[in-house]
Amino acid sequence: MEEQRQRAKELFDLYRGHFFQMHRDGVFEEYKKYEIESQIEIDWYNEWIDTCTNHLSIRDWNAITSLESLAKYYQDSRILDNAIAFASRHIMGADSIVKLMYAEKLMDLIKSLKKVVSREKRHAAYQLTYKMLEDIILKPLIIDPGHELDQYHLKDKKSLNSRAKKSMDEIRNVRD
């Protein structure tokens, strides 16, 4: 019994609880046969949220990207809360590319979690994101070692600003 549950957890973790992906790859039937209770799956999702939150970093996008992916099919407002808490503490001192990447990821999180996040929290998240984008435009281009503009489809400060302005325009046009 414990081996079956462990195998189910392995599949769940491998696919981050995304059942459509399991189905697409032909392992959903195997997962289903383990008859995992929905509360256990919720606990596993919560583990993923906690793990990703604990790994948020300005040097690595994996955790924020994982949270972004998870938010598309598992609606939990803590995902946005945790990302916003991290960003508000750490992003303003980061380089220009980190600010842009986090701002874009936060915008995607806000959109994905719109149904489960209060209007006030969404607006606060948009305000922080706007502030990050504004900071990119107002300050000179700062790039830490290991971050190259072309890796992020950027050519120069002008293209970085253009992308930031595009996101700012999107925020200004939010109607909810």
Side-chain angles (χ1 to χ4, degrees):
M1 183 72 152
E2 187 58 35
E3 287 177 21
Q4 289 180 338
R5 188 171 177 178
Q6 183 60 35
R7 175 62 182 152
K9 177 87 163 85
E10 287 172 13
L11 289 171
F12 188 91
D13 286 348
L14 180 63
Y15 290 90
R16 294 188 178 134
H18 196 272
F19 300 122
F20 178 77
Q21 297 289 347
M22 284 186 202
H23 180 71
R24 192 189 60 172
D25 289 351
V27 298
F28 185 64
E29 290 302 317
E30 177 189 355
Y31 179 80
K32 254 180 35 178
K33 80 177 184 180
Y34 299 124
E35 299 176 352
I36 301 299
E37 297 171 23
S38 61
Q39 184 56 53
I40 292 172
E41 290 174 342
I42 290 169
D43 292 344
W44 290 347
Y45 280 124
N46 288 332
E47 284 177 26
W48 264 105
I49 293 169
D50 293 343
T51 298
C52 291
T53 298
N54 290 334
H55 286 95
L56 286 171
S57 169
I58 62 171
R59 290 179 174 69
D60 182 2
W61 318 125
N62 289 335
I64 190 72
T65 301
S66 292
L67 287 173
E68 176 191 20
S69 175
L70 185 60
K72 290 179 180 164
Y73 56 89
Y74 184 69
Q75 300 284 289
D76 188 323
S77 63
R78 289 183 315 122
I79 296 171
L80 182 61
D81 293 342
N82 295 348
I84 291 297
F86 175 83
S88 65
R89 287 190 314 267
H90 300 286
I91 298 304
M92 295 311 283
D95 76 8
S96 303
I97 292 174
V98 170
K99 288 176 191 166
L100 181 64
M101 292 299 113
Y102 262 87
E104 291 176 347
K105 298 288 186 189
L106 287 174
M107 288 179 63
D108 289 339
L109 283 174
I110 296 165
K111 290 176 206 169
S112 293
L113 297 168
K114 184 177 182 176
K115 294 177 184 173
V116 296
V117 174
S118 71
R119 186 174 190 191
E120 293 78 24
K121 281 188 182 184
R122 283 195 312 274
H123 285 282
Y126 275 130
Q127 285 177 330
L128 173 64
T129 304
Y130 195 90
K131 182 179 172 186
M132 291 164 52
L133 294 163
E134 205 171 44
D135 196 60
I136 291 168
I137 292 169
L138 294 174
K139 291 186 178 172
L141 178 64
I142 300 168
I143 303 174
D144 288 342
H147 293 163
E148 303 298 328
L149 286 172
D150 60 340
Q151 288 176 306
Y152 304 100
H153 310 289
L154 300 166
K155 294 179 183 167
D156 52 18
K157 172 72 170 153
K158 185 177 177 181
S159 64
L160 180 84
N161 285 354
S162 175
R163 211 154 122 187
K165 284 178 185 174
K166 181 182 174 195
S167 294
M168 290 170 75
D169 289 342
E170 189 177 332
I171 292 171
R172 278 193 291 269
N173 292 322
V174 169
R175 305 275 184 251
D176 66 358

